[in-house]
Amino acid sequence: MGTPLENWVDSAARLTKPDRIIYCDGSAAENERIIAEMLREGDSVKLNEKTYPNCYLHRSSPNDVARTEHLTFICTPEKSDAGPTNNWMDPDAAKHKIGALLDGAMRGRSMYVVPYVMGPVNSPISKVGVEVTDSPYVVANMRIMSRMGQVALERIGSSSDLFPAYIRSAILIPCAATSRIFRRKN
């Protein structure tokens, strides 16, 4: 039996069935590998080095967005806790629905484990968490937005303290507005 983090990553991998699991360290070398992968996949382009040094343009699938209002739900035991302007779903119903969508969602791809700290590493108000994703773009952006890798793992430790943990995947999702199905390129 591993740490709570290792156990959670194992359960996420059993659900999503990736070909490989990569624990991200946040290093410059890792970032270079991630950018090279995005360039190989063809949805990222290196911009003119003279005018935009070290800059890239990334184009994602139309349904691969961080927040789509009609598909975002607050899952709490009481509907009133979601607030007057949010969509609500029962937590058990959400786990069942999302579990079915995520079953095998990372097959054929890598699952990146991204431990992160939002805010200064040693601040008592900083937030620590873990995200697993099959998107190199998400990994590259988490490196920009947070302190990721070993510093976050040290904050999480092997304790049974709760930490936010997220699964993010570019899964096959029907687009309700057009009744078409989009899938992010593998």
Side-chain angles (χ1 to χ4, degrees), residues 121-134:
V121 171
N122 295 316
S123 171
I125 61 171
S126 291
K127 301 300 178 200
V128 64
V130 177
E131 177 173 20
V132 296
T133 182
D134 54 5

Side-chain angles (χ1 to χ4, degrees), residues 35-180:
I35 290 171
E37 182 177 343
M38 291 189 305
L39 293 170
R40 256 191 328 276
E41 288 180 359
D43 44 7
S44 292
V45 178
K46 185 170 181 58
L47 298 180
N48 183 306
E49 190 64 32
K50 277 188 175 178
T51 52
Y52 299 101
N54 199 30
C55 291
Y56 302 85
L57 170 65
H58 180 81
R59 293 187 175 110
S60 60
S61 172
N63 72 324
D64 188 9
V65 294
R67 184 167 164 87
T68 304
E69 298 299 331
H70 73 284
L71 297 175
T72 301
F73 291 82
I74 306 301
C75 303
T76 58
E78 300 297 323
K79 185 175 181 176
S80 60
D81 292 338
T85 60
N86 293 311
N87 298 315
W88 175 83
M89 188 181 294
D90 175 76
D92 291 331
K95 284 180 185 177
H96 178 74
K97 187 172 196 161
I98 295 300
L101 288 171
L102 289 173
D103 188 14
M106 293 186 189
R107 191 175 280 118
R109 296 193 293 277
S110 297
M111 179 173 87
Y112 299 96
V113 180
V114 184
Y116 64 86
V117 178
M118 291 286 187
V121 171
N122 295 316
S123 171
I125 61 171
S126 291
K127 301 300 178 200
V128 64
V130 177
E131 177 173 20
V132 296
T133 182
D134 54 5
S135 169
Y137 177 73
V138 169
V139 176
N141 279 279
M142 287 299 289
R143 184 175 186 270
I144 293 168
M145 295 186 302
S146 71
R147 284 106 174 126
M148 64 184 251
Q150 190 60 39
V151 294
L153 289 173
E154 289 168 6
R155 286 277 308 263
I156 293 169
S158 60
S159 74
S160 59
D161 292 344
L162 294 177
F163 55 87
Y166 309 92
I167 299 176
R168 188 247 181 243
S169 180
I171 56 178
L172 188 65
I173 300 175
C175 184
T178 63
S179 299
R180 292 172 49 200

